[in-house]
Amino acid sequence: MRVGIIGAGGIVQYAHLPGYQRIPGVEVVAICDPVQARAQEMATKNGIPNVFADFRDMLALELDAVSVCVPNAMHAEAAIAALQAGCHVLCEKPMAVSAAEGEKMVAAATKSGKILMMGFNNRFRADTKALKKLIDSGMFGEIYFARSGWIRRRGIPGRGSWFTQKAMAGGGALIDIGVHALDLTLYLMGKPKAVTVMGATYAKFGGDPGRGTGGWGQAVAGGVFDVDDLACAMIRFDNGATMMLEASWASHIEREHMFVNLMGTEAGAQMLSNPAQARVFSERLGVVQDTTITANEAPGNTAHFTEIAEFVSCVREGRAPMSSGDDGVQVMRILDAIYKSAQLGASVDV
Ligand SMILES: NC(=O)c1ccc[n+]([C@@H]2O[C@H](COP(=O)([O-])OP(=O)(O)OC[C@H]3O[C@@H](n4cnc5c(N)ncnc54)[C@H](O)[C@@H]3O)[C@@H](O)[C@H]2O)c1
């Protein structure tokens, strides 16, 4: 399986490249990035034979599959070009910067007959898989409420970099890390259809270079910050369920957490990061119980690796991925609605 990678940044180095390299029969044959030195360095270190500045040139190589790992505003263009060139596509989150772009990506995948998989790596966590199995067994009953989020004390991913520019990222903390919590919760709730959203966004740290520094990410002096550093929303679904979502890159809290709380009629669940923990709360014969999930996974089988392995298996077996382009569009519709609601100061239909 001949793979090309579009973008030579952090997530490629951390997840995509090592992931593909671990799977027998998969070869990363090309990488592209307009910052040639970055692509060249990654190619030299990893024995990648072809380096390009423009992904259109790379797509002439007749690749089997492509990872799209560029700033969010370029996902749609790169993914559509790759699909049109006959490649299967694994696209990083968020799918794009709007649902309309996501719909075009799905249409391109349908037309080409190729796979479009979303890089929702949290679905591939061992604790997620364990919890999903329990939920699918029916043990939670009706899940009618969820609270989830990814909140950081200090973690603006490079103030002034593309991450903090609306034109490149489509938004801030919400579209960058809130997207993970949102997708994971929808997935665990059984993908209910969102109907209305009430959202709010803030930028109380990002715009002030003297505040909210630290954590990680490389700041770019004088760079633009015109996105949210905190967002929250209430989402109402057509089955009567609701969820509350929170996302922040910087806020006065104790420490960073990604969390999902699910409340069902028969049981509830709590997934926490930092430290990682998944628990189930229930009641049986009047006895209130807590169960801790011990999710077994072979060492090195991280969520990112498992996601890449799933993509490769889907390509090889001609199977639809479990994090599909359609799932990406549903998430984008909600994100669009949250941003619109925040702007209008009123609830909006999804
Ligand atoms: N799933 C995850 O855990 C996770 C983690 C980090 C980032 N991401 C996502 O991955 C994507 C990339 O993020 P990153 O952290 O690697 O960013 P990054 O800034 O480290 O890297 C992005 C790279 O894309 C390159 N690029 C820009 N335009 C390009 C183009 N037209 N063609 C080819 N390359 C181009 C840049 O020069 C840069 O090297 C983003 O969409 C981000 O949201 C996902």
Side-chain angles (χ1 to χ4, degrees), residues 9-11 33-34 38 70-72 74-75 92-93 121 162 304:
I11 196 61
D33 198 302
R38 206 174 286 165
V70 288
N72 309 341
M74 291 153 202
H75 286 189
E92 262 307 334
K93 50 51 63 175
N121 51 288
W162 71 262
H304 282 111

Side-chain angles (χ1 to χ4, degrees), residues 7 60 64 77 81 92 111 150 180 199 203 209 217 223 258 317 319-320 348:
D64 297 307
E77 190 188 354
E92 262 307 334
K111 194 167 176 202
W150 188 337
H180 280 297
M258 182 184 175
E317 295 161 20
R319 180 161 61 76
V348 300

Side-chain angles (χ1 to χ4, degrees), residues 51 54 73 84 116 120 144-145 148 170 225 257 286 293 296 323:
V51 177
D54 192 321
Q84 286 173 343
L116 171 61
F120 289 136
Y144 57 95
F145 181 65
S148 66
F225 189 113
H257 265 304
I293 291 179
N296 279 320
S323 60

